[in-house]
C-alpha cells in the first residue's frame, strides 16, 4: 500500500482519498443518517391558577418548520428568539426565581433540534419576561382540539411557548419539527462520484507512467 | 528549476510523503463528512465549520509533529546545512520552510475535508460559496499562527522530541488561554479581556460576522496580526540567530 502511494502523484492520492472518504461517509449516512422529521410530546401538571407550562424548540444545526399543538391551555403566547439554548433559557428562568419544576430537556441530534419543557410556578412573571426575549404573539386557537402555532425556524433560532392552564391543571405540548433545505447526495450518487474519481485516478496514473517511460 | 524551487520541492516531498498524511486525510475527510451526514446541517457556514473544527485539531498536531519537528531532522541530518550553502538568502529559506511546512499542508489538510463535504452536500452549499471560502481562510490563518509558532520552537530547540512535545503543549496552552481569558472577562465584566479571548480563535469572529452579531474591528485583525508577527519572527530568527549544529 505504502509503495503504491509512494509511486503515485499527489493528484492521484488526493482523488483516492476523496473517493474513500465519500464512500465511508455515505455508508455511515445510510446506517445513521440525518432525519427529516422529529417530534416531542410532553404533558405537564401545572400547579395553581398563577402557574404556566413552557416549551422551547431550538434549531441547533438544521432549519425547518416547527408546529406546536397546545392542549389544556386557557391562553398561550409564543416568542421567536435569535440564538439560545432551550435548557439554558430554562436555567435562566430558574435564576430569576420563577419556581421552575419538571424540566425535561431532549436533543435530537439526527434532526438538529433541541427541546425543553418545564412547569413554571410564576405565570404572570414569565409573561412579563417574554417581551425582553423578542416579539410576543398569541397562539391561535383551533376549535376544541387546542391551539396551534406553526413557525419557520432558521439555524440557531428558537421558539418559546408559554401556556397558562385551564381549570384541569394539565397542559400538553405536541411538537413536530420538519427539516427544510437539507439534501445530501444519495448513496448511488456518492458511489458514482467515488467510482468516477477512482477511474480518473487510475487513468491519470497510467498516462503519467506512460509519459515517464 | 531554480535553487529555491529545488529546495521547495525537496522539502514539500518530505512533508507530504505517504502514507502518514494520506491516512490522516482519509480520517479527517471521512469524519467531517460523517458529521454533516448524521445531522441535517442546512447552513453552508455551519456545515463548513462542523467539518473543519475537528480537522484543525488534527492539523495542529500534524504541523507540530511532521511540519515543525521535521525541521529538526533537517538540522540533525545536515540537510539544512546544504540548504544554507546554496547561494540563496536565509530569509528565502525561512519563507520556503513556512510555505512548505505550514501553508501548503494547511491548505491541503483543511481543503480535502471541505471538498468532500461540498460534494456530499452540494445542494446545501450552492449559494453559500463566499461564506465557505471566508470560513476556510479563517481556519488557514489560525493554522498559520500555530504552524509558524511551532516552526519557531523547532528552529530554536533543534531536537525532534522536545520540539514536538513543546509545540503540542503550546497548542493546548493557547486553546486553554482563549477559553480562560474569555471566561474571566465575562465573569469580572471586563469587555476587552472577553473580546480578545474570544478573538484568539479566528473562526469564532467569522461566525459573528456572518450571523450579524456584534464584533469589534480589532477582534477581526487579532489572529491575522499574530500570524504575521510569528511569520516575521521565524524569518528574523532564521536570518539573525539560527545556527546549524
Amino acid at each position: 500500500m505504502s509503495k503504491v502511494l509512494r509511486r503515485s502523484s499527489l493528484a492521484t492520492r488526493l482523488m483516492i482519498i476523496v473517493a474513500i472518504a465519500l464512500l465511508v461517509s455515505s455508508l455511515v449516512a445510510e446506517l445513521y443518517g440525518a432525519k427529516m422529521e422529529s417530534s416531542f410530546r410532553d404533558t405537564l401538571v401545572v400547579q395553581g391558577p398563577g402557574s404556566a407550562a413552557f416549551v422551547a424548540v431550538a434549531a441547533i444545526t438544521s432549519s425547518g418548520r416547527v408546529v406546536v399543538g397546545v392542549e389544556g391551555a386557557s391562553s398561550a403566547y409564543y416568542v421567536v428568539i435569535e440564538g439560545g439554548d432551550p435548557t439554558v433559557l430554562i436555567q435562566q428562568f430558574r435564576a430569576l426565581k420563577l419556581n421552575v419544576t419538571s424540566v425535561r430537556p431532549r436533543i435530537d441530534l439526527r434532526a438538529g433540534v433541541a427541546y425543553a419543557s418545564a412547569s413554571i410556578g410564576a405565570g404572570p412573571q414569565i409573561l412579563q419576561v417574554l417581551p425582553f426575549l423578542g416579539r410576543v404573539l398569541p397562539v391561535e386557537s383551533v376549535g376544541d382540539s387546542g391551539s396551534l402555532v406553526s413557525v419557520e425556524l432558521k439555524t440557531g433560532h428558537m421558539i418559546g411557548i408559554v401556556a397558562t392552564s385551564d381549570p384541569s391543571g394539565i397542559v400538553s405540548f405536541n411538537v413536530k419539527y420538519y427539516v427544510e433545505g437539507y439534501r445530501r447526495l444519495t448513496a448511488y450518487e456518492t458511489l458514482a462520484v467515488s467510482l468516477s474519481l477512482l477511474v480518473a485516478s487510475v487513468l491519470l496514473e497510467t498516462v503519467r507512467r506512460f509519459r515517464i517511460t | 528549476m531554480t535553487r529555491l524551487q529545488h529546495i521547495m520541492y525537496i522539502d514539500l516531498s518530505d512533508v507530504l510523503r505517504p502514507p502518514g498524511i494520506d491516512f490522516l486525510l482519509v480520517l479527517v475527510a471521512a469524519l467531517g463528512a460523517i458529521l454533516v451526514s448524521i445531522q441535517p446541517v442546512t447552513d453552508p457556514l455551519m456545515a463548513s465549520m462542523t467539518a473543519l473544527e475537528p480537522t484543525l485539531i488534527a492539523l495542529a498536531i500534524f504541523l507540530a509533529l511532521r511540519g515543525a519537528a521535521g525541521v529538526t531532522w533537517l538540522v540533525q541530518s545536515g540537510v539544512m546545512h546544504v540548504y544554507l550553502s546554496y547561494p540563496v538568502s536565509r530569509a528565502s529559506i525561512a519563507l520556503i520552510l513556512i510555505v512548505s511546512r505550514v501553508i501548503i499542508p494547511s491548505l491541503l489538510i483543511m481543503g480535502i475535508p471541505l471538498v468532500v463535504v461540498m460534494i456530499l452536500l452540494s445542494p446545501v452549499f450552492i449559494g453559500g460559496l463566499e461564506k465557505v471560502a471566508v470560513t476556510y481562510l479563517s481556519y488557514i490563518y489560525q493554522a498559520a499562527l500555530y504552524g509558524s509558532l511551532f516552526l519557531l520552537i523547532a528552529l530554536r530547540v533543534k531536537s525532534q522530541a522536545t520540539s514536538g512535545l513543546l509545540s503540542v503543549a503550546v497548542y493546548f496552552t493557547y486553546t486553554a488561554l482563549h477559553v480562560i481569558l474569555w471566561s474571566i472577562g465575562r465573569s469580572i465584566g471586563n469587555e476587552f479581556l472577553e473580546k480578545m479571548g474570544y478573538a484568539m480563535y479566528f473562526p469564532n469572529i467569522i461566525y459573528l460576522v456572518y450571523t450579524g452579531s456584534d464584533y469589534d474591528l480589532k477582534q477581526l485583525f487579532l489572529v491575522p496580526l499574530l500570524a504575521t508577527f510569528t511569520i516575521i519572527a521565524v524569518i528574523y530568527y532564521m536570518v539573525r540567530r539560527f545556527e546549524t549544529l
Side-chain angles (χ1 to χ4, degrees):
Chain A
M1 180 72 179
S2 179
K3 271 186 184 174
V4 175
L5 288 171
R6 271 196 194 111
R7 285 178 190 166
S8 307
S9 69
L10 185 62
T12 310
R13 283 160 58 197
L14 293 181
M15 279 197 274
I16 295 170
I17 288 163
V18 171
I20 295 171
L22 277 172
L23 283 174
V24 171
S25 60
S26 171
L27 192 71
V28 176
E30 281 302 303
L31 295 171
Y32 195 76
K35 290 192 302 186
M36 301 307 281
E37 268 184 48
S38 171
S39 61
F40 175 78
R41 194 177 167 80
D42 198 12
T43 301
L44 293 156
V45 177
V46 179
Q47 298 151 348
S51 303
F54 177 79
V55 70
V57 184
I60 321 167
T61 54
S62 61
S63 60
R65 176 162 288 280
V66 61
V67 180
V68 186
V70 188
E71 286 173 29
S74 60
S75 65
Y77 297 91
Y78 74 94
V79 59
V80 177
I81 307 156
E82 286 184 24
D85 178 304
T87 314
V88 173
L89 185 65
I90 288 176
Q91 280 170 357
Q92 286 167 342
F93 289 157
R94 190 169 269 161
L96 290 170
K97 303 209 183 303
L98 293 181
N99 188 20
V100 179
T101 51
S102 322
V103 181
R104 285 194 194 92
R106 188 164 81 86
I107 294 175
D108 190 345
L109 187 72
R110 289 178 68 189
V113 64
Y115 309 95
S117 62
S119 184
I120 294 172
Q125 284 90 329
I126 192 167
L127 288 173
Q128 287 170 352
V129 169
L130 284 189
F132 291 101
L133 301 170
R135 196 158 76 97
V136 182
L137 293 165
V139 177
E140 289 173 30
S141 281
V142 186
D144 296 331
S145 59
S147 312
L148 202 69
V149 59
S150 175
V151 170
E152 290 269 358
L153 279 186
K154 287 183 191 167
T155 307
H157 286 200
M158 173 165 68
I159 180 174
I161 298 167
V162 175
T164 52
S165 165
D166 62 11
S168 70
I170 293 172
V171 177
S172 290
F173 291 113
N174 191 6
V175 184
K176 287 206 179 298
Y177 179 73
Y178 305 95
V179 176
E180 288 173 358
Y182 178 78
R183 192 178 109 58
R184 64 167 186 270
L185 294 189
T186 61
Y188 288 114
E189 287 168 340
T190 314
L191 190 67
V193 174
S194 304
L195 286 177
S196 311
L197 282 168
L198 287 174
V199 170
S201 65
V202 170
L203 283 174
L204 185 76
E205 206 51 31
T206 312
V207 169
R208 195 178 72 93
R209 288 186 189 183
F210 185 71
R211 281 176 65 184
I212 290 169
T213 51
Chain B
M1 202 182 260
T2 65
R3 297 258 188 224
L4 286 176
Q5 284 171 334
H6 184 71
I7 296 172
M8 170 83 92
Y9 180 77
I10 294 170
D11 208 42
L12 210 50
S13 304
D14 174 49
V15 179
L16 303 180
R17 73 174 184 273
I21 191 168
D22 301 68
F23 285 116
L24 178 80
L25 280 173
V26 167
L27 288 176
V28 291
L31 179 67
I34 288 169
L35 283 173
V36 296
S37 301
I38 60 168
Q39 49 187 336
V41 190
T42 50
D43 180 34
L45 175 71
M46 192 68 94
S48 46
M49 289 184 92
T50 306
L52 294 179
E53 206 60 40
T55 309
L56 184 63
I57 301 169
L59 172 64
I61 294 169
F62 177 87
L63 291 177
L65 300 182
R66 174 67 76 86
V71 170
T72 58
W73 176 83
L74 292 182
V75 177
Q76 286 167 351
S77 62
V79 176
M80 182 65 88
H81 197 72
V82 177
Y83 286 173
L84 294 174
S85 69
Y86 284 172
V88 288
S89 68
R90 281 184 166 224
S92 304
I93 290 175
L95 268 176
I96 284 172
L97 290 178
I98 290 163
V99 171
S100 63
R101 293 191 173 264
V102 179
I103 307 296
I104 292 178
S106 301
L107 289 170
L108 209 60
I109 295 174
M110 298 307 283
I112 293 298
L114 200 58
V115 168
V116 172
V117 170
M118 283 171 79
I119 293 173
L120 201 66
L121 294 191
S122 43
V124 172
F125 275 93
I126 293 168
L129 291 177
E130 173 234 330
K131 279 184 189 176
V132 177
V134 174
T135 309
Y136 174 65
L137 208 63
S138 71
Y139 279 95
I140 296 297
Y141 267 116
Q142 195 71 34
L145 170 62
Y146 295 150
S148 47
L149 210 57
F150 301 160
L151 205 57
L152 194 62
I153 292 169
L155 288 172
R156 178 72 186 87
V157 299
K158 297 188 195 83
S159 154
Q160 207 156 4
T162 314
S163 159
L165 281 173
L166 264 179
S167 300
V168 172
V170 163
Y171 165 68
F172 283 110
T173 307
Y174 182 92
T175 313
L177 203 63
H178 140 69
V179 179
I180 290 166
L181 287 181
W182 179 63
S183 309
I184 290 176
R186 272 178 77 107
S187 57
I188 64 169
N190 186 329
E191 201 182 328
F192 178 79
L193 210 58
E194 182 190 341
K195 285 190 169 179
M196 285 301 111
Y198 198 67
M200 282 172 75
Y201 193 65
F202 197 33
N204 279 346
I205 306 305
I206 298 303
Y207 184 78
L208 291 185
V209 171
Y210 278 116
T211 51
S213 309
D214 288 338
Y215 67 94
D216 278 356
L217 214 55
K218 56 180 177 283
Q219 281 185 297
L220 199 60
F221 288 109
L222 181 71
V223 168
L225 279 176
L226 282 176
T228 313
F229 176 76
T230 45
I231 287 171
I232 292 169
V234 170
I235 296 169
Y236 177 83
Y237 187 82
M238 190 77 184
V239 172
R240 293 294 179 93
R241 300 283 176 107
F242 180 72
E243 284 172 15
T244 50
L245 298 170

